[in-house]
Amino acid sequence: MRPRTLLALIFALGLAACGGDETAAPLAADEVGLSRLELIGKRIFFDTSLSEPHGQSCATCHDPALAFSGNSAFTLGVAPGAASGRFGTRNVPTVMYAMFVPPFYFEDDAGEQVPVGGLFLDGRAASLEDQASKPFFNPVEMALPGPAALRERLAAASYAQLIRDQFGAQVFASPAATLAAAAQALAAFERTPRFAPFSSKYDAVRRGQAQLSVQESRGLALFVDATKGNCAACHPFVAGSKLDADHLFTDFTYDNLGVPRNRRIPANAEPALFDLGLCGPARSDLVETRPQWCGAFRVPTLRNVALRPAFFHNGAITTLRDSVSFYVTRETDPFRWYRGELYDDLPPAFKANVNASEAPYDATPATGPRLSEAEIDDVVAFLHTLTDGWKP
């Protein structure tokens, strides 16, 4: 077969996989194999015309090279919005493995009602579809004035016919229908294997295809040791299980870590501004009904944690080693982290909510930290094994 004929065949097969729409842009290499719905979601995800002003897409903040996180490569710990001079107040969470996050609920744990799940760091979105519909209209994100603006831009997109083919000719008849279609497509794309490849060195080890180094093995032992790192208390996995979903390194619960205030965030110039996490605007009733959870944020997956440019809900810490050191020395060397007072990013009423009872937070200046500097290095070495795309 002549090369030109072969290329034509490949292109035709690609069109067939996407519903045969010849008016859409040709498939990129990373689009081959996607269903039409997933393809629409992928193109929306990377479309920089869907913000006001143009220039920001989902991928701007959720960079594929940084495990679909990244804060637009800014060093503030949070991302800038599409509109000049606007910044968010939270670190951009990874979209990878988000498909496994359950809807928000309270579960009974030995008589205590414990919050679990939900998308965003405060769990306010029940599903990927629900989450995907929000950033378009957030004034510190993509900043569209409303669903009508999204409908107008999607109707003019190069892939608009794909949307009509998938959802019907009336998809652009109402802003609500367009928004629902966009959210469904984005969620479908975010459920594709590229968002949950399970392709790290750790995965190769559990499949018998590789071995941890001596240092990585020490780090794993410290990670699970309840008297040392105790990381697995919130970032668990099921040793020996062949099910990928048993190796997510999160239990989806909430914890208040007393993370230091990030003074690089412009909004934090206002000293009375505090992010109450689970008790934020979406669930402000919890301030009265469940105040013990104010200041708590959902435990993230540790998969690909070494790729993140900022850590914790406010991006206050910007290296992986420092983030592990914070866990270990928060109580033994507090003013390495805080300016003036402990837990300086919480109002006084909620400082008692900070987790200080579990290792390694239960250490004191008298006892010394649970991990030595060398042991911190070991844990960091293990965390690097959770980065996807590993090759021997």
Side-chain angles (χ1 to χ4, degrees):
M1 183 178 292
R2 290 178 296 175
R4 185 169 297 180
T5 305
L6 178 60
L7 287 173
L9 177 60
I10 292 172
F11 181 68
L13 289 172
L15 288 176
C18 296
D21 175 44
E22 298 181 3
T23 67
L27 292 180
D30 63 349
E31 295 177 339
V32 175
L34 296 179
S35 71
R36 183 167 58 198
L37 181 62
E38 293 163 352
L39 175 61
I40 294 167
K42 188 263 185 181
R43 293 192 176 173
I44 292 174
F45 194 91
F46 289 91
D47 191 343
T48 58
S49 75
L50 304 180
S51 65
E52 181 56 47
H54 290 188
Q56 188 170 80
S57 69
C58 305
T60 303
C61 297
H62 298 283
D63 185 345
L66 297 173
F68 291 95
S69 62
N71 290 319
S72 309
F74 268 62
T75 59
L76 298 180
V78 296
S84 178
R86 293 185 181 177
F87 292 86
T89 57
R90 290 181 179 172
N91 188 12
V92 174
T94 179
V95 186
M96 294 191 76
Y97 301 96
M99 65 182 76
F100 293 98
V101 180
F104 181 84
Y105 67 101
F106 280 94
E107 74 173 8
D108 184 79
D109 181 14
E112 181 184 11
Q113 293 297 298
V114 175
V116 181
L119 275 300
F120 293 114
L121 295 174
D122 57 11
R124 67 185 184 277
S127 65
L128 286 175
E129 288 84 356
D130 186 17
Q131 184 278 327
S133 68
K134 303 293 193 297
F136 292 120
F137 315 114
N138 189 320
V140 297
E141 295 185 59
M142 298 175 78
L144 289 179
L150 179 66
R151 175 185 63 175
E152 177 184 345
R153 295 182 189 211
L154 285 175
S158 62
Y159 50 92
Q161 188 56 47
L162 278 176
I163 299 175
R164 293 187 186 93
D165 291 343
Q166 178 68 33
F167 294 100
Q170 298 304 306
V171 67
F172 298 123
S174 75
T178 306
L179 176 58
Q184 183 180 340
L186 281 167
F189 175 56
E190 292 171 2
R191 291 189 179 103
T192 59
R194 74 186 66 189
F195 289 89
F198 294 98
S199 61
S200 67
K201 181 178 182 179
Y202 168 83
D203 296 302
V205 170
R206 68 185 179 89
R207 292 168 183 147
Q209 300 164 341
Q211 289 185 328
L212 295 178
S213 71
V214 172
Q215 185 180 34
E216 292 162 353
S217 295
R218 290 198 305 261
L220 172 57
L222 294 165
F223 186 95
V224 300
D225 189 335
T227 67
K228 298 291 284 183
N230 197 31
C231 314
C234 294
H235 300 281
F237 61 95
V238 181
S241 174
K242 295 182 178 180
L243 295 175
D244 287 342
D246 284 338
H247 300 269
L248 294 173
F249 290 86
T250 176
D251 60 5
F252 309 111
T253 60
Y254 287 72
D255 207 354
N256 188 331
L257 302 178
V259 176
R261 191 170 183 84
N262 182 355
R263 289 175 171 80
R264 301 186 305 278
I265 298 175
N268 280 350
E270 170 51 60
L273 176 69
F274 295 102
D275 188 341
L276 297 183
L278 196 58
C279 295
R283 295 193 183 88
S284 58
D285 61 300
L286 295 184
V287 174
E288 298 295 332
T289 62
R290 302 177 194 258
Q292 70 271 28
W293 294 109
C294 294
F297 294 83
R298 181 169 54 80
V299 174
T301 177
L302 291 184
R303 285 184 164 272
N304 297 294
V305 67
L307 296 179
R308 297 175 198 167
F311 300 86
F312 304 112
H313 71 275
N314 61 2
I317 294 175
T318 55
T319 72
L320 178 58
R321 194 186 191 285
D322 277 351
S323 69
V324 177
S325 294
F326 169 72
Y327 282 107
V328 175
T329 66
R330 188 193 73 190
E331 299 299 322
T332 61
D333 187 12
F335 294 106
R336 173 181 173 183
W337 308 105
Y338 301 110
R339 183 185 298 181
E341 60 178 321
L342 294 179
Y343 317 145
D344 60 0
D345 204 28
L346 286 168
F350 301 127
K351 290 188 178 187
N353 294 347
V354 174
N355 184 347
S357 61
E358 295 180 296
Y361 317 119
D362 61 347
T364 67
T367 65
R370 291 280 189 168
L371 300 180
S372 68
E373 292 298 309
E375 288 173 328
I376 290 172
D377 289 335
D378 292 343
V379 172
V380 171
F382 171 68
L383 292 175
H384 276 272
T385 72
L386 303 180
T387 302
D388 284 314
W390 179 80
K391 292 181 175 57

